[in-house]
Each structure stands twice: as structure tokens, then as C-alpha cells.
Amino acid sequence: GALVAGRAAMRRTPAAVVVAPAAPVREGPERALKPAFELHEGTAVKVLEARGDLARIQLDNGLAGWVASSDLEVL
């Protein structure tokens, strides 16, 4: 049951791609936080949550953080 529920949740998680040349990724949804790392144009991500003009994303390797929604294009 949990495996099926997990797969269903993955299907509902929108995929997106970074469209900005460089997108700073922060550990929280506050722009005042120093970026933890940076993503580059063309990087595929999963959008886990949207809050205002920010989106919480996750990479395939499990790394996650917050980026400006304007730096992404949902597929």
C-alpha cells in the first residue's frame, strides 16, 4: 500500500527545468538566507511546494532547497 501511495505522490509532483542561467538555491524560503548552492540552466528538478514567488525543489539525488519560481519552467 505505501509503495503504491508513494508512486502516486511522485506522479503528482510537477517536474520543472531551470530556465535562468544561474539559480541560487537556499535552505529556506527567505531571500535573506545565503544560497547553499546554485543550479544551472537546463537542470531538471521536482517542485515539492510553492510559497509566494518561491518554490521548494528537489534534485534526483535528493538535494533540496528553495529557488525563485521565475527561475523555473514547469513541464
Side-chain angles (χ1 to χ4, degrees):
L3 181 60
V4 172
R7 286 185 180 158
M10 287 179 69
R11 284 194 299 268
R12 288 190 302 266
T13 305
V17 65
V18 176
V19 294
V25 182
R26 294 173 170 79
E27 291 183 11
E30 298 83 26
R31 289 192 185 266
L33 292 173
K34 182 178 176 181
F37 59 96
E38 187 175 82
L39 295 176
H40 300 283
E41 187 173 11
T43 303
V45 298
K46 295 175 194 164
V47 179
L48 304 176
E49 177 183 354
R51 191 180 298 177
D53 62 346
L54 297 173
R56 186 165 67 96
I57 56 93
Q58 183 176 33
L59 299 168
D60 286 339
N61 67 5
L63 202 56
W66 292 84
V67 299
S69 298
S70 60
D71 290 346
L72 302 174
E73 183 173 319
V74 175
L75 303 174

